[in-house]
């Protein structure tokens, strides 16, 4: 039996964010946790990943400016926005608790996807500012 409950996909500027809602056995209960993955198909964006134990951190950069951070581990679930936010995990032991856990985790999916789209807006603005020649906005004549 697969431990993937549901997968959510968000895409912009050839960057794809996957948020996978997974279940894992935790002693005598089930743990519901979100895992994040990013697929970068934008040649102007650099993606760096780091792994440390169960932690997986992802940074997206345009030139030298970082515009997105998402990480995850077994205890804090998904972390985003420079670790200011985290989804944690939820334990359930019954079908009714599973439903409540899904509703709570679904709220995190919305928050994380909003952060993703806000970060893409920052990237587009950063790119526009960096690539705009001075002559296009000001003339000494």
């Amino acid at each position: 039996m697969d431990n993937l409950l549901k997968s959510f996909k968000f895409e912009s500027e050839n960057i794809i964010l996957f948020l996978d809602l997974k279940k894992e056995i935790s002693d005598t209960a089930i743990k519901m946790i979100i895992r994040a993955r990013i697929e970068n198909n934008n040649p102007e964006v650099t993606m760096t990943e780091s792994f440390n134990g169960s932690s997986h951190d992802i940074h997206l950069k345009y030139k030298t400016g970082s515009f997105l951070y998402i990480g995850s581990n077994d205890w804090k679930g998904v972390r985003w926005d420079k670790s200011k936010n985290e989804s944690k995990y939820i334990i359930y032991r019954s079908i009714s608790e599973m439903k409540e856990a899904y509703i709570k985790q679904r709220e995190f999916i919305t928050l994380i996807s909003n952060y993703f789209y806000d970060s893409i807006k920052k990237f587009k603005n950063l790119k526009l500012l960096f690539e705009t020649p001075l002559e296009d906005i000001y003339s000494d004549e």
Side-chain angles (χ1 to χ4, degrees), residues 109-127:
I109 299 291
T110 301
L111 293 172
I112 298 164
S113 65
N114 287 342
Y115 168 71
F116 172 74
Y117 288 119
D118 288 345
S119 296
I120 295 298
K121 287 179 194 173
K122 289 177 190 174
F123 157 66
K124 290 166 67 174
N125 186 52
L126 192 62
K127 180 181 173 196

Side-chain angles (χ1 to χ4, degrees), residues 83-109:
S83 293
K84 294 178 187 171
N85 304 288
E86 56 190 35
S87 65
K88 302 215 183 256
Y89 60 84
I90 298 175
I91 299 290
Y92 61 92
R93 292 177 179 83
S94 69
I95 297 299
S96 61
E97 287 179 357
M98 182 181 182
K99 181 179 178 181
E100 291 172 24
Y102 174 74
I103 291 168
K104 288 178 184 174
Q105 292 293 54
R106 185 64 180 93
E107 291 171 4
F108 283 115
I109 299 291

